[in-house]
Amino acid sequence: MRHSFMPDILPHRDREINEIASIMVPALRGETPSNIFIYGKTGTGKTAVVKFVGGELETKGKELGKHINFVYINCEVVDTQYRLLQNIANHFINEWDERIPFTGWPTDEVYSKLIEKIDRIGGVTTVILDEVDKLKGDEALYNLSRINIQLKNAKVSIVGISNDLKFTEFLDPRVKSSLGEENIIFPPYDAAQLQDILLQRVEMGLKPNSIDDDVIPLCAALAAQEHGDARRALDLLRMSAEIAERKGLDKITKSFVRVAQNKIEIDRVIEVVKTLPTQSKLILISILLRERHDNKKSSNNPINTGEVYEIYKDLCKKTRIDSLTQRRVADLISELDMLGIITARVISKGRYGRTREIKLSTDADEITRILKNDEVYLNISNYKINAQTRLI
DNA sequence: CTTCCACAGGAAGGTCTGGCGG
DNA sequence: CCGCCAGACCTTCCTGTGGAAG
């Protein structure tokens, strides 16, 4: 039930599979397929579909005695030109071949070695670049897209996968046109489709009758809200199952899904808060202090940018950390908003100006717990805010 | 209808770091 | 080892603005 598991049947992706297959199929005749660019949000099945089609073509190729190779590279891991070339080259390793070291060679030498290797093997090689947007610099893409010019005996095509629709906008135009010969967009799954995906996995992974009827619709609905992320849907189901198992129960119920959803959310917040840079932490703590002060008085006046900045400045003074300008702090507040740990909405108070209304989007106690052992927080935790929103 | 608050948020430019080619 | 450059991170300066109050 892990999302990394790849089933033989990918529900609701027939159109995409056919489309990609029909673009790639010239490879079976030894021709170069067009380069493809694939877009889609996380958990829309991009990687699964491409790997699936790749696998099918590879076996078909073997039947027909054609050389068809697929090289899968995740650019988040392999993010420089050198390592990209090295990785592709080392994919075609065999016992009499030398391995290209992970550092030390000039880049062009790796490049020519790669050409030599691909040429010797011949046939059609498809390089799949997952998360291409993570690749540093477009030189690598440029070189790779022109590799065919130097090949005598082999063909190379490229499949780029990205979840950033705007990725190509700031790409070298030459790379853009050569990579974007074919564009495919993976739409998000809707709730009904997610249900089918979950049902398929349930059949494979769970005993019959171990699941309440309303569990799958709930998982699907929650994941559909999360831009139709199948990965999220599977995670929810798997975690609910694990929770049930840990409790020694043999039936998954709706309430476990809620717990799982909550846990996923908290885990995310923990991860984000822990890795926040010092200044952002201070800002978050300022909001936290202010919110706590507010609750105590049970007066519920909203927090705005100016207030946060005042508290923040006080905190900086007390901890002898250089304070940033309000302009910068405003940006950091937007950043916290984007990370989903606070919500900051622009409102107008008429005569009394325009500002952003800031709220923690996670429970204040939860955040306090996360920060409990934090170095920055420890120096501050004993401060409170008085009626004039000054730090005491 | 006008005023005017308390910022939002764009533009441009400075500083620092880290990677890279020579 | 050095100079160069991109990109992250900030500052300074700025213009723009929703809507309650007058």
Side-chain angles (χ1 to χ4, degrees), chain A residues 50-169:
Chain A
V50 171
K51 279 188 170 174
F52 175 79
V53 174
E56 296 281 294
L57 278 177
E58 230 164 9
T59 34
K60 197 79 194 163
K62 276 206 193 90
E63 273 172 38
L64 298 172
K66 300 268 186 187
H67 279 293
I68 296 191
N69 306 296
F70 279 86
V71 185
Y72 174 84
I73 304 239
N74 187 330
C75 299
E76 183 149 36
V77 189
V78 180
D79 60 355
T80 60
Q81 161 153 253
Y82 182 93
R83 299 217 291 128
L84 176 64
L85 296 175
Q86 180 228 353
N87 259 273
I88 300 171
N90 282 348
H91 187 265
F92 302 110
I93 204 103
N94 45 37
E95 62 272 19
W96 66 83
D97 247 358
E98 65 204 295
R99 243 189 140 69
I100 296 178
F102 63 86
T103 179
W105 287 20
T107 308
D108 352 339
E109 198 166 332
V110 183
Y111 191 62
S112 42
K113 196 84 197 170
L114 174 66
I115 289 170
E116 187 193 316
K117 280 187 177 209
I118 292 181
D119 239 352
R120 195 165 55 212
I121 288 162
V124 178
T125 299
T126 302
V127 182
I128 300 164
L129 300 174
D130 207 347
E131 321 218 19
V132 254
D133 42 321
K134 301 283 159 55
L135 207 56
K136 304 219 169 75
D138 42 14
E139 204 180 336
L141 284 176
Y142 180 63
N143 287 337
L144 211 55
S145 64
R146 288 165 32 111
I147 199 170
N148 276 323
I149 302 169
Q150 302 179 47
L151 290 170
K152 292 179 212 75
N153 190 30
K155 310 267 166 61
V156 169
S157 78
I158 302 169
V159 178
I161 303 178
S162 162
N163 49 27
D164 184 1
L165 250 169
K166 287 181 293 190
F167 169 59
T168 46
E169 273 177 24

Side-chain angles (χ1 to χ4, degrees), chain A residues 7 20 82 101 108 117 163 167 178 195-196 349 371-372 376 379:
Chain A
I20 293 174
Y82 182 93
D108 352 339
K117 280 187 177 209
N163 49 27
F167 169 59
S178 104
Q195 283 198 38
D196 288 341
K349 293 187 294 179
L371 286 168
K372 199 171 56 199
V376 183
N379 298 324

